Amino acid sequence: MTKQLTVVGGGITGLASAYIAALNGYKVRVLEASHSFGGLLNTFPIGGNRLEHYYHHFFTHDVELNWLVNQLGIEDKLIYKKTTMGVYRNGTIYPFNSPVDLLRFSPLSLLDKSRFAATSLFLGKMARWEDYENISCLEWLYRYAGKNTTNSLWKPLLDIKFGPYAGEVPLAWLIGRLRQRMNSRNRGEEKLGYLQGSLNTLLNALLEKLKTHSVELIGNTVIKKLRVAEGKLVGLETTKETYSGGDYLLTIPTSYAKDLVQGVDPALYQQLDKIEYFGAVCVILDLKKPLSRTYWLNVADSGFPFGGIIEHTNFIPSESYNHKHIAYLSRYYSHQEPIAAQSNEEIIDTMLPYLKKIYKTFHPDLINDIHVFRTKTAATVCHLNFSQNVHSYKSSVPHLWFANMVHIYPDERSVNNAIRVSAEACRAMGMETTFIPEGNSLSGKIGR
Ligand SMILES: Cc1cc2nc3c(=O)[nH]c(=O)nc-3n(C[C@H](O)[C@H](O)[C@H](O)COP(=O)(O)OP(=O)(O)OC[C@H]3O[C@@H](n4cnc5c(N)ncnc54)[C@H](O)[C@@H]3O)c2cc1C
């Protein structure tokens, strides 16, 4: 008899899982709340092209992503390019691309620099994340990288990513992140990947591929209730109809999934309730002129309303967007911060004067247009010993399975790692997944 899988959530985790299940001969349907599939990978039209709501790039070692890109026959669209990075500290922009740039980074003394290099190398190349799960990242960095190095480089990064939780982030998380970044560098020179035509190229090809495998793609459908009979999950009540049969894989954020299990299994609800998410806002400026020559600028001075400026057209040329220059102002926030309740206009009005502080020649007249995108579930908050909070793919309710961003820990959240998580979840459900090559991702291992 043909096995059946209903996937809830049409982001990359849901779509990749649907593809793997279809390859395993399953009859698959995907239920997505929004009218468009893709979740955080969604794009919008700009300058005769399309652009991600949230900046995205790939790494040279993204093995699982490369597998999917090849499966979809879009490998000629995936390009890798050298990029430029900078740090804004003490009112100055410093290039931060090579060991020479580190040597020239004047906010740090020579001793600070050697401690930065030694600790980064240790964490990125040698440390095992399992040994550092119960150690606060900031405490460790203050101790071994030093106060000045931590305050100049690391703390601003953690503040930006984790807001009030920065002090609680385990060192295991930084090990995962550095490992990913360092494996993308070659003698200090970083090449990043991008799909020509935006992530829409991947989404379109994947959705077409799913259709050729007779996967049912059902949008505009929100799950309202799990239908349980004799302790087993037998159906999903949605805003459209009730879908039933086979297994059910929830790839939606745990903060939404937990409400569905509340009346079904209180113990499971308690477990899922431990997971918190961060929000993110990206203010995208469509500009007449570039702001700088840097692709990625980390803002390491405190008090700024954004943590990074990602000048997309310093990565992908402005010719691809009818000569528009595009920059993202990026900010992650906890839901307790005032920004969570601010309107788009308030956020823009707060951010633009700070942009002028960094780029003196910037003037609002240089803006053609502004687009704002925000999500409540940009990332999970990783506390100390977070692995203990990672719920299993398999739930206590027969036929109910989970796979989402929680399972990416301790690695960095990424499209590649979401595909790895999908593969691991499908394997946990008993599917054949050995045809998916495995890179060096740390994701997907917890919760098996
Ligand atoms: C600002 C930002 C920058 C990023 N940069 C990069 C990068 O440079 N490189 C990289 O590789 N990755 C990057 N990522 C990470 C990457 O986007 C994510 O890891 C990945 O998209 C997560 O996919 P997902 O399917 O797990 O979740 P989502 O994309 O969140 O998908 C979940 C889906 O579930 C749907 N849903 C929710 N509730 C329901 C419901 N009740 N019923 C039905 N459907 C529901 C949602 O609409 C959504 O489509 C970035 C993310 C952000 C936010």
Side-chain angles (χ1 to χ4, degrees):
M1 205 177 77
T2 310
K3 288 189 174 175
Q4 210 177 320
L5 179 69
T6 301
V7 177
V8 181
I12 187 63
T13 308
L15 297 178
S17 302
Y19 181 50
I20 297 164
L23 291 177
N24 272 270
Y26 276 62
K27 185 174 185 306
V28 187
R29 67 164 79 93
V30 184
L31 307 177
E32 164 57 46
S34 165
H35 64 281
S36 63
F37 286 78
L40 293 170
L41 308 191
N42 266 296
T43 60
F44 69 103
I46 184 167
N49 203 332
R50 294 194 73 87
L51 183 74
E52 292 74 17
H53 293 177
Y54 309 100
Y55 52 86
H56 272 76
H57 54 236
F58 304 121
F59 297 96
T60 46
H61 63 276
D62 279 349
V63 171
E64 286 85 347
L65 172 83
N66 267 291
W67 166 77
L68 186 60
V69 162
N70 280 302
Q71 289 280 306
L72 301 177
I74 52 169
E75 55 275 24
D76 57 322
K77 302 284 182 206
L78 184 55
I79 50 163
Y80 287 93
K81 291 183 72 179
K82 197 181 154 204
T83 58
T84 47
M85 206 182 145
V87 176
Y88 179 77
R89 177 71 176 160
N90 299 339
T92 305
I93 295 172
Y94 296 91
F96 213 79
N97 299 297
S98 65
V100 175
D101 288 340
L102 175 62
L103 286 172
R104 289 189 185 137
F105 189 63
S106 60
L108 301 189
S109 69
L110 202 57
L111 177 64
D112 291 332
K113 287 167 190 167
S114 31
R115 289 176 84 176
F116 173 76
T119 47
S120 303
L121 270 176
F122 171 72
L123 294 174
K125 297 279 184 191
M126 285 181 270
R128 272 168 31 97
W129 70 267
E130 294 91 333
D131 301 332
Y132 295 95
E133 254 230 300
N134 58 351
I135 293 172
S136 149
C137 193
L138 270 183
E139 272 177 34
W140 190 93
L141 288 168
Y142 275 124
R143 187 158 177 198
Y144 294 103
K147 191 173 168 198
N148 193 26
T149 307
T150 305
N151 283 339
S152 297
L153 294 173
W154 295 118
K155 187 169 183 304
L157 288 182
L158 286 161
D159 282 345
I160 290 153
K161 279 234 157 215
F162 295 100
Y165 305 99
E168 294 176 46
V169 176
L171 191 57
W173 177 85
L174 187 61
I175 292 169
R177 183 173 165 82
L178 281 178
R179 191 168 143 148
Q180 194 179 63
R181 299 288 289 192
M182 281 189 182
N183 283 318
S184 199
R185 281 171 191 269
N186 186 7
R187 289 195 211 127
E189 185 182 274
E190 183 158 52
K191 276 196 173 173
L192 295 178
Y194 189 74
L195 271 167
Q196 286 172 321
S198 81
L199 276 163
N200 196 44
T201 305
L202 178 100
L203 286 175
N204 275 348
L206 184 48
L207 292 171
E208 282 311 310
K209 185 70 129 183
L210 291 175
K211 283 180 200 158
T212 64
H213 283 272
S214 305
V215 172
E216 238 188 307
L217 298 164
I218 306 166
N220 287 317
T221 308
V222 182
I223 312 305
K224 289 291 183 196
K225 203 173 167 215
L226 305 184
R227 188 175 280 183
V228 176
E230 295 171 0
K232 293 180 190 153
L233 182 58
V234 294
L236 302 175
E237 294 178 22
T238 76
T239 41
K240 278 198 178 138
E241 56 182 270
T242 298
Y243 296 93
S244 49
D247 283 322
Y248 305 84
L249 176 65
L250 266 55
T251 70
I252 60 179
T254 302
S255 50
Y256 301 145
K258 72 176 184 189
D259 295 333
L260 294 170
V261 303
Q262 191 165 16
V264 173
D265 184 336
L268 181 58
Y269 173 80
Q270 294 289 328
Q271 197 190 352
L272 302 191
D273 194 35
K274 290 182 187 144
I275 306 291
E276 289 172 78
Y277 280 78
F278 265 87
V281 58
C282 279
V283 171
I284 303 174
L285 304 179
D286 163 351
L287 296 158
K288 297 187 176 98
K289 287 195 346 188
L291 295 167
S292 74
R293 291 188 179 169
T294 304
Y295 166 57
W296 186 287
L297 186 76
N298 279 324
V299 179
D301 275 353
S302 55
F304 275 70
F306 45 81
I309 303 174
I310 296 104
E311 235 178 306
H312 179 75
T313 36
N314 288 338
F315 181 27
I316 305 303
S318 66
E319 287 75 35
S320 306
Y321 306 92
N322 283 341
H323 300 275
K324 288 171 181 295
H325 297 271
I326 300 167
Y328 290 83
L329 307 180
S330 162
R331 163 81 183 263
Y332 292 89
Y333 55 84
S334 87
H335 298 298
Q336 287 74 46
E337 290 180 68
I339 187 174
Q342 280 177 341
S343 67
N344 289 351
E345 290 69 28
E346 284 171 313
I347 293 174
I348 293 167
D349 288 347
T350 312
M351 286 188 174
L352 291 189
Y354 281 87
L355 190 61
K356 175 116 185 119
K357 282 192 185 190
I358 298 178
Y359 298 116
K360 307 286 180 264
T361 55
F362 167 75
H363 190 278
D365 286 351
L366 294 174
I367 301 174
N368 293 317
D369 204 354
I370 305 183
H371 308 265
V372 181
F373 296 99
R374 51 212 290 184
T375 170
K376 289 182 175 169
T377 52
T380 47
V381 181
C382 305
H383 299 284
L384 291 188
N385 295 312
F386 186 74
S387 65
Q388 291 168 16
N389 289 346
V390 175
H391 44 85
S392 301
Y393 296 119
K394 185 176 182 167
S395 82
S396 47
V397 182
H399 302 302
L400 174 61
W401 301 81
F402 297 104
N404 62 25
M405 237 186 245
V406 171
H407 299 100
I408 281 181
Y409 177 84
D411 216 318
E412 174 70 337
R413 165 203 64 147
S414 75
V415 176
N416 183 78
N417 291 340
I419 300 168
R420 171 54 35 209
V421 165
S422 308
E424 295 294 336
C426 287
R427 187 191 301 186
M429 284 189 275
M431 294 180 212
E432 173 58 54
T433 58
T434 48
F435 53 83
I436 305 167
E438 209 171 332
N440 61 10
S441 168
L442 296 176
S443 297
K445 317 280 187 273
I446 310 168
R448 275 171 172 171

PDB file of all heavy atoms in Angstrom, residues 350-363:
ATOM      1  N   THR A 350      13.488  55.622  12.603  1.00  0.00           N
ATOM      2  CA  THR A 350      14.546  55.425  13.605  1.00  0.00           C
ATOM      3  C   THR A 350      15.863  55.076  12.921  1.00  0.00           C
ATOM      4  O   THR A 350      16.923  55.526  13.341  1.00  0.00           O
ATOM      5  CB  THR A 350      14.167  54.263  14.561  1.00  0.00           C
ATOM      6  OG1 THR A 350      12.848  54.455  15.000  1.00  0.00           O
ATOM      7  CG2 THR A 350      15.107  54.184  15.755  1.00  0.00           C
ATOM      8  N   MET A 351      15.784  54.261  11.864  1.00  0.00           N
ATOM      9  CA  MET A 351      17.027  53.744  11.270  1.00  0.00           C
ATOM     10  C   MET A 351      17.775  54.772  10.407  1.00  0.00           C
ATOM     11  O   MET A 351      19.010  54.842  10.459  1.00  0.00           O
ATOM     12  CB  MET A 351      16.718  52.509  10.428  1.00  0.00           C
ATOM     13  CG  MET A 351      16.422  51.273  11.261  1.00  0.00           C
ATOM     14  SD  MET A 351      16.299  49.812  10.206  1.00  0.00           S
ATOM     15  CE  MET A 351      16.144  48.510  11.435  1.00  0.00           C
ATOM     16  N   LEU A 352      17.043  55.548   9.615  1.00  0.00           N
ATOM     17  CA  LEU A 352      17.735  56.382   8.614  1.00  0.00           C
ATOM     18  C   LEU A 352      18.740  57.382   9.203  1.00  0.00           C
ATOM     19  O   LEU A 352      19.850  57.530   8.662  1.00  0.00           O
ATOM     20  CB  LEU A 352      16.725  57.088   7.701  1.00  0.00           C
ATOM     21  CG  LEU A 352      15.956  56.146   6.751  1.00  0.00           C
ATOM     22  CD1 LEU A 352      15.138  56.933   5.741  1.00  0.00           C
ATOM     23  CD2 LEU A 352      16.869  55.166   6.026  1.00  0.00           C
ATOM     24  N   PRO A 353      18.420  58.078  10.321  1.00  0.00           N
ATOM     25  CA  PRO A 353      19.440  59.000  10.865  1.00  0.00           C
ATOM     26  C   PRO A 353      20.735  58.277  11.255  1.00  0.00           C
ATOM     27  O   PRO A 353      21.824  58.849  11.166  1.00  0.00           O
ATOM     28  CB  PRO A 353      18.756  59.601  12.096  1.00  0.00           C
ATOM     29  CG  PRO A 353      17.291  59.403  11.860  1.00  0.00           C
ATOM     30  CD  PRO A 353      17.167  58.137  11.069  1.00  0.00           C
ATOM     31  N   TYR A 354      20.607  57.018  11.667  1.00  0.00           N
ATOM     32  CA  TYR A 354      21.813  56.253  12.052  1.00  0.00           C
ATOM     33  C   TYR A 354      22.618  55.855  10.818  1.00  0.00           C
ATOM     34  O   TYR A 354      23.839  55.727  10.882  1.00  0.00           O
ATOM     35  CB  TYR A 354      21.424  55.029  12.877  1.00  0.00           C
ATOM     36  CG  TYR A 354      21.117  55.383  14.305  1.00  0.00           C
ATOM     37  CD1 TYR A 354      19.837  55.782  14.673  1.00  0.00           C
ATOM     38  CD2 TYR A 354      22.111  55.353  15.281  1.00  0.00           C
ATOM     39  CE1 TYR A 354      19.555  56.136  15.981  1.00  0.00           C
ATOM     40  CE2 TYR A 354      21.844  55.702  16.589  1.00  0.00           C
ATOM     41  CZ  TYR A 354      20.555  56.093  16.935  1.00  0.00           C
ATOM     42  OH  TYR A 354      20.280  56.444  18.239  1.00  0.00           O
ATOM     43  N   LEU A 355      21.926  55.678   9.704  1.00  0.00           N
ATOM     44  CA  LEU A 355      22.647  55.363   8.468  1.00  0.00           C
ATOM     45  C   LEU A 355      23.527  56.553   8.093  1.00  0.00           C
ATOM     46  O   LEU A 355      24.659  56.405   7.642  1.00  0.00           O
ATOM     47  CB  LEU A 355      21.630  55.056   7.358  1.00  0.00           C
ATOM     48  CG  LEU A 355      22.189  54.491   6.066  1.00  0.00           C
ATOM     49  CD1 LEU A 355      22.889  53.161   6.318  1.00  0.00           C
ATOM     50  CD2 LEU A 355      21.078  54.294   5.039  1.00  0.00           C
ATOM     51  N   LYS A 356      22.997  57.729   8.335  1.00  0.00           N
ATOM     52  CA  LYS A 356      23.749  58.968   8.019  1.00  0.00           C
ATOM     53  C   LYS A 356      24.981  59.086   8.924  1.00  0.00           C
ATOM     54  O   LYS A 356      25.993  59.653   8.528  1.00  0.00           O
ATOM     55  CB  LYS A 356      22.800  60.163   8.196  1.00  0.00           C
ATOM     56  CG  LYS A 356      23.426  61.501   8.028  1.00  0.00           C
ATOM     57  CD  LYS A 356      22.844  62.241   6.839  1.00  0.00           C
ATOM     58  CE  LYS A 356      23.572  63.550   6.618  1.00  0.00           C
ATOM     59  NZ  LYS A 356      24.221  63.638   5.352  1.00  0.00           N
ATOM     60  N   LYS A 357      24.873  58.556  10.152  1.00  0.00           N
ATOM     61  CA  LYS A 357      26.041  58.599  11.050  1.00  0.00           C
ATOM     62  C   LYS A 357      27.185  57.787  10.462  1.00  0.00           C
ATOM     63  O   LYS A 357      28.350  58.134  10.614  1.00  0.00           O
ATOM     64  CB  LYS A 357      25.682  57.987  12.412  1.00  0.00           C
ATOM     65  CG  LYS A 357      24.903  58.900  13.301  1.00  0.00           C
ATOM     66  CD  LYS A 357      24.860  58.311  14.700  1.00  0.00           C
ATOM     67  CE  LYS A 357      23.967  59.188  15.564  1.00  0.00           C
ATOM     68  NZ  LYS A 357      24.041  58.864  16.959  1.00  0.00           N
ATOM     69  N   ILE A 358      26.837  56.682   9.805  1.00  0.00           N
ATOM     70  CA  ILE A 358      27.887  55.805   9.254  1.00  0.00           C
ATOM     71  C   ILE A 358      28.367  56.322   7.902  1.00  0.00           C
ATOM     72  O   ILE A 358      29.572  56.411   7.663  1.00  0.00           O
ATOM     73  CB  ILE A 358      27.346  54.359   9.117  1.00  0.00           C
ATOM     74  CG1 ILE A 358      26.980  53.817  10.500  1.00  0.00           C
ATOM     75  CG2 ILE A 358      28.382  53.451   8.442  1.00  0.00           C
ATOM     76  CD1 ILE A 358      26.384  52.418  10.505  1.00  0.00           C
ATOM     77  N   TYR A 359      27.431  56.664   7.050  1.00  0.00           N
ATOM     78  CA  TYR A 359      27.779  57.170   5.706  1.00  0.00           C
ATOM     79  C   TYR A 359      27.382  58.645   5.630  1.00  0.00           C
ATOM     80  O   TYR A 359      26.206  58.962   5.408  1.00  0.00           O
ATOM     81  CB  TYR A 359      27.053  56.351   4.627  1.00  0.00           C
ATOM     82  CG  TYR A 359      27.433  54.900   4.635  1.00  0.00           C
ATOM     83  CD1 TYR A 359      26.499  53.908   4.932  1.00  0.00           C
ATOM     84  CD2 TYR A 359      28.748  54.508   4.361  1.00  0.00           C
ATOM     85  CE1 TYR A 359      26.856  52.563   4.947  1.00  0.00           C
ATOM     86  CE2 TYR A 359      29.104  53.162   4.377  1.00  0.00           C
ATOM     87  CZ  TYR A 359      28.155  52.206   4.672  1.00  0.00           C
ATOM     88  OH  TYR A 359      28.516  50.880   4.687  1.00  0.00           O
ATOM     89  N   LYS A 360      28.387  59.508   5.799  1.00  0.00           N
ATOM     90  CA  LYS A 360      28.114  60.961   5.905  1.00  0.00           C
ATOM     91  C   LYS A 360      27.452  61.505   4.636  1.00  0.00           C
ATOM     92  O   LYS A 360      26.717  62.481   4.685  1.00  0.00           O
ATOM     93  CB  LYS A 360      29.423  61.737   6.162  1.00  0.00           C
ATOM     94  CG  LYS A 360      30.238  61.225   7.341  1.00  0.00           C
ATOM     95  CD  LYS A 360      29.623  61.603   8.675  1.00  0.00           C
ATOM     96  CE  LYS A 360      30.423  61.092   9.849  1.00  0.00           C
ATOM     97  NZ  LYS A 360      29.979  59.836  10.427  1.00  0.00           N
ATOM     98  N   THR A 361      27.753  60.858   3.481  1.00  0.00           N
ATOM     99  CA  THR A 361      27.201  61.395   2.227  1.00  0.00           C
ATOM    100  C   THR A 361      25.780  60.888   1.960  1.00  0.00           C
ATOM    101  O   THR A 361      25.151  61.302   0.985  1.00  0.00           O
ATOM    102  CB  THR A 361      28.090  60.995   1.017  1.00  0.00           C
ATOM    103  OG1 THR A 361      28.209  59.578   1.020  1.00  0.00           O
ATOM    104  CG2 THR A 361      29.453  61.648   1.086  1.00  0.00           C
ATOM    105  N   PHE A 362      25.292  60.020   2.839  1.00  0.00           N
ATOM    106  CA  PHE A 362      23.933  59.507   2.616  1.00  0.00           C
ATOM    107  C   PHE A 362      22.913  60.624   2.836  1.00  0.00           C
ATOM    108  O   PHE A 362      23.029  61.436   3.756  1.00  0.00           O
ATOM    109  CB  PHE A 362      23.636  58.335   3.568  1.00  0.00           C
ATOM    110  CG  PHE A 362      22.175  57.977   3.592  1.00  0.00           C
ATOM    111  CD1 PHE A 362      21.607  57.289   2.534  1.00  0.00           C
ATOM    112  CD2 PHE A 362      21.350  58.388   4.654  1.00  0.00           C
ATOM    113  CE1 PHE A 362      20.238  57.007   2.523  1.00  0.00           C
ATOM    114  CE2 PHE A 362      19.995  58.091   4.647  1.00  0.00           C
ATOM    115  CZ  PHE A 362      19.448  57.404   3.583  1.00  0.00           C
ATOM    116  N   HIS A 363      21.920  60.667   1.980  1.00  0.00           N
ATOM    117  CA  HIS A 363      20.821  61.624   2.135  1.00  0.00           C
ATOM    118  C   HIS A 363      19.529  60.911   1.725  1.00  0.00           C
ATOM    119  O   HIS A 363      19.536  60.167   0.725  1.00  0.00           O
ATOM    120  CB  HIS A 363      21.063  62.850   1.244  1.00  0.00           C
ATOM    121  CG  HIS A 363      20.105  63.952   1.535  1.00  0.00           C
ATOM    122  ND1 HIS A 363      18.834  63.977   1.015  1.00  0.00           N
ATOM    123  CD2 HIS A 363      20.226  65.057   2.322  1.00  0.00           C
ATOM    124  CE1 HIS A 363      18.210  65.043   1.475  1.00  0.00           C
ATOM    125  NE2 HIS A 363      19.034  65.724   2.270  1.00  0.00           N
TER     126      HIS A 363
END
